[in-house]
């Protein structure tokens, strides 16, 4: 079964809030999401093209595992926590299936 990726894109338009957002995501939200989802790996990125854009990517063993995680109670709690703490930060969510992995 191919791995699956869940990606959350957040746009922190207020530059004065980016450091606090980064700290909160790193210290609070990401560890909670990793534990709640039971993911294999997680990554975070700040865009070099648009400094307001932050992405987090969560790797699941397969699509079924990802669908259970993002469709469950933990996801609703994570969304509520994010909205409570970062109401003015717009975000989108997208799901992907890994079709190919290439290494040297």
């Amino acid at each position: 079964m191919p791995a699956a990726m869940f990606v959350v894109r957040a746009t922190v338009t207020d530059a004065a809030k980016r450091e606090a957002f980064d700290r909160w995501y790193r210290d609070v939200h990401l560890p909670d999401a990793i534990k709640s989802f039971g993911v294999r790996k997680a990554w975070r990125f700040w865009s070099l093209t648009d400094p307001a854009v932050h992405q987090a990517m969560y790797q699941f063993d397969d699509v079924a595992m990802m669908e259970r995680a993002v469709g469950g109670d933990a996801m609703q709690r994570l969304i509520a926590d994010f909205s409570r703490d970062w109401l003015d930060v717009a975000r989108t969510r997208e799901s992907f299936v890994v079709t190919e992995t290439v290494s040297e």
Side-chain angles (χ1 to χ4, degrees):
M1 294 178 120
M5 301 289 191
F6 181 67
V7 179
V8 180
R9 176 186 167 122
T11 305
V12 186
T13 56
D14 184 345
K17 294 183 178 181
R18 290 185 196 144
E19 185 177 331
F21 177 87
D22 190 55
R23 188 173 40 257
W24 174 84
Y25 213 103
R26 180 192 64 228
D27 297 342
V28 177
H29 194 68
L30 187 66
D32 188 11
I34 289 169
K35 183 179 176 183
S36 297
F37 290 155
V39 296
R40 175 180 298 265
K41 292 181 183 178
W43 298 264
R44 289 190 324 119
F45 311 92
W46 281 101
S47 172
L48 294 174
T49 307
D50 181 350
V53 174
H54 173 274
Q55 288 195 345
M57 183 183 331
Y58 303 92
Q59 179 182 342
F60 292 87
D61 290 338
D62 55 47
V63 172
M65 182 182 177
M66 178 186 64
E67 288 175 343
R68 281 191 304 275
V70 302
D73 293 339
M75 180 64 166
Q76 295 309 309
R77 180 184 51 77
L78 289 163
I79 290 170
D81 290 350
F82 193 111
S83 296
R84 178 197 63 226
D85 294 339
W86 299 100
L87 186 60
D88 61 337
V89 174
R91 60 202 184 275
T92 60
R93 297 172 200 87
E94 230 176 318
S95 301
F96 299 89
V97 63
V98 177
T99 57
E100 184 175 4
T101 302
V102 180
S103 306
E104 281 189 69

